[in-house]
Amino acid sequence: MTATYIPRPDLIQVTYRFVSEKLIDPEKKAKAIALGQTTDTWTPNERSGLKRLEKHQGVVLGLDERTHKEGQPYEYYLTVGFPAANTEADIPTLLTMIFGKISMDGKIRVQEIRFPDEYLEGKGPRNGVAGIRARVAEPTKPLAMAIFKPCVGLSAPELAKMFYELAVGGMHLVKDDEILPDLEICPTEKRLEACLDAGQRALKETGRPTLYAVNLTGLPSRLLPKARRLAKLGAECFLLNVLSYGYGALEELRELGIPVMAHPALAGAIAAAPDTGMDYAVILGSLMRLGGADIVLFPSSYGTVSLPSTQTNAIWKALSKPMGNLMPVFPAPSAGIHPGLVPRIIEDYGYDVIINAGGGVHGHPKGARAGAKAFRQAIDWAIKRKNFGGLSEREFPELAEALRLWGRGERNG
């Protein structure tokens, strides 16, 4: 069949990938999704034909049956349009509408979601790339961020000491590890107070601010009250394991106006299977941006935990491409990042990127402060080399030592 598509920018448009071992009628399948997730049932119903229900019905917008190869399953791309009026303008009811019970209907996967501009009004990041840059006083260059390593088991004063070293070394941001909850040995409020104090001491010494992302944890009903308490104590940025707590928690948190950093924990449980779930670009790209994340972490394509470059590129595009009036979001490719990879990261993402590292900072032979300096030097080195070429790293001593340890990390072939 010939691929068809009817644009309907007034509807929430969802493209599904459906895989079947046998030949099916794709239009029938798409209609079953469109009507079954909106106004109809699988048996005849006298009320299903009511005229006033038409504005709530889903409609089939696109059909694309891929060329079938002998011995391979059949592959279909089905695009369905849903009325935004069927939701409460939040992500939980959106997900229930577009992928509720049908998520259990065999090999079906959400590949893409497109939203009407009107639906996006009042949503999305409150700070975005420009707001984060203003908070760390860095208008143009890529940003460097460090993770506390180790974290669980350390006290608030120990983490504050680590924060000070990282801040003096030049990190723009420092974040809690996502596995660090509100423990008795290191309560969140004490950790926040200690790190903010360390940040102020570093600021007086260097003149550079360092943003601290504190991990927000607890029962969902307590998250927002806790966030408000932390905000009164001076919280500058919240780290949230969005998929653990739900997109609704992210949407509520954005209302405070304090930057939100979204962690990808649990993303593999939703997106890793090739034929089910939702695409990484949907759950870590479009929905994180819609929900109000200002920074989104995700595995890079060249680290210890990695995604294919096609996936990381799709996430980045979903965070940065025009999307109604939503501000672009900072991508933070992560996991196994060291200074030698910085030129490659800048080549792949441009300057609007946060270079996030844990062991790559703390593993420097001269300690965390030198590791932070190495990353800042790597950014300057990469920019100068890109602009002027043939630049030696010898004028950057901490970077040179890091490169001897980890290698240059450049592209092969």
Side-chain angles (χ1 to χ4, degrees):
M1 65 174 288
T2 303
T4 61
Y5 174 65
I6 304 169
R8 282 289 300 273
D10 58 316
L11 298 176
I12 297 170
Q13 301 176 68
V14 184
T15 299
Y16 304 89
R17 177 177 179 268
F18 185 74
V19 176
S20 175
E21 295 301 323
K22 59 183 180 180
L23 185 67
I24 67 165
D25 180 345
E27 185 173 9
K28 182 179 179 181
K29 182 66 180 178
K31 283 182 177 179
I33 295 172
L35 299 179
Q37 289 296 123
T38 55
T39 60
D40 285 7
T41 66
W42 68 279
T43 57
N45 186 304
E46 62 181 8
R47 294 185 178 275
S48 63
L50 290 177
K51 187 73 174 175
R52 68 173 183 268
L53 296 184
E54 289 183 2
K55 67 179 182 180
H56 294 284
Q57 286 182 344
V59 295
V60 177
L61 301 178
L63 302 171
D64 183 2
E65 181 180 343
R66 297 300 167 91
T67 303
H68 180 250
K69 297 180 180 179
E70 188 69 30
Q72 298 293 318
Y74 294 88
E75 183 181 5
Y76 307 90
Y77 286 80
L78 316 172
T79 300
V80 174
F82 295 94
N86 289 10
T87 76
E88 296 180 36
D90 63 4
I91 297 177
T93 55
L94 167 73
L95 291 177
T96 304
M97 176 179 68
I98 69 170
F99 207 46
K101 60 181 179 287
I102 64 166
S103 66
M104 298 171 275
D105 186 22
K107 294 182 178 180
I108 187 168
R109 181 178 176 87
V110 173
Q111 290 295 122
E112 185 181 10
I113 309 175
R114 297 183 296 282
F115 301 97
D117 287 350
E118 185 178 355
Y119 180 81
L120 297 174
E121 291 292 331
K123 297 181 174 64
R126 297 289 295 275
N127 298 274
V129 170
I132 298 298
R133 286 194 174 282
R135 287 173 182 260
V136 299
E138 177 49 76
T140 58
K141 293 181 181 179
L143 306 186
M145 179 166 69
I147 313 164
F148 286 138
K149 296 286 185 181
C151 59
V152 179
L154 297 184
S155 66
E158 288 174 309
L159 291 180
K161 183 179 180 181
M162 197 186 304
F163 186 97
Y164 174 79
E165 291 296 308
L166 293 166
V168 170
M171 283 291 167
H172 296 100
L173 306 95
V174 176
K175 63 176 281 293
D176 283 344
D177 203 316
E178 80 282 359
I179 63 174
L180 178 60
D182 199 342
L183 299 178
E184 185 176 349
I185 190 175
C186 190
T188 304
E189 292 187 7
K190 290 188 180 296
R191 186 166 78 240
L192 175 65
E193 291 177 0
C195 288
L196 291 179
D197 179 68
Q200 286 301 309
R201 289 189 286 115
L203 176 62
K204 290 178 181 177
E205 185 173 333
T206 66
R208 298 187 303 261
T210 301
L211 199 67
Y212 172 44
V214 61
N215 195 20
L216 186 62
T217 59
L219 290 173
S221 61
R222 300 175 185 172
L223 281 183
L224 203 56
K226 184 176 183 179
R228 290 193 180 105
R229 290 199 310 274
L230 296 174
K232 289 181 179 179
L233 292 173
E236 304 167 324
C237 182
F238 292 115
L239 174 69
L240 183 67
N241 295 312
V242 174
L243 300 175
S244 299
Y245 291 98
Y247 289 104
L250 171 63
E251 291 179 296
E252 285 193 324
L253 190 58
R254 78 173 283 279
E255 295 302 319
L256 297 183
I258 294 172
V260 182
M261 183 183 300
H263 195 277
L266 281 185
I270 302 171
D275 297 329
T276 57
M278 296 188 285
D279 195 78
Y280 279 110
V282 173
I283 64 168
L284 298 180
S286 304
L287 293 180
M288 290 295 189
R289 188 178 181 186
L290 177 69
D294 300 287
I295 301 166
V296 177
L297 288 80
F298 55 89
S300 73
S301 58
Y302 25 74
T304 52
V305 178
S306 62
L307 292 176
S309 59
T310 52
Q311 288 281 3
T312 57
N313 191 51
I315 295 169
W316 171 50
K317 285 184 176 178
L319 295 175
S320 58
K321 68 183 180 183
M323 187 175 172
N325 65 347
L326 301 194
M327 289 182 281
V329 175
F330 254 124
S334 308
I337 303 299
H338 58 77
L341 289 170
V342 170
R344 184 173 178 180
I345 293 171
I346 294 175
E347 180 184 339
D348 288 347
Y349 296 94
Y351 285 9
D352 284 338
V353 64
I354 293 178
I355 299 166
N356 179 39
V361 178
H362 298 285
H364 194 282
K366 293 182 179 179
R369 184 186 297 201
K373 287 182 179 179
F375 271 93
R376 287 297 298 265
Q377 290 172 5
I379 291 171
D380 290 340
W381 170 58
I383 292 172
K384 288 182 178 179
R385 193 177 64 163
K386 183 177 180 180
N387 292 336
F388 303 108
L391 187 68
S392 170
E393 64 270 14
R394 284 179 294 181
E395 66 178 276
F396 306 108
E398 285 81 10
L399 170 62
E401 195 150 2
L403 292 179
R404 284 195 293 272
L405 181 65
W406 288 298
R408 302 176 72 90
E410 296 176 342
R411 279 185 205 282
N412 295 318

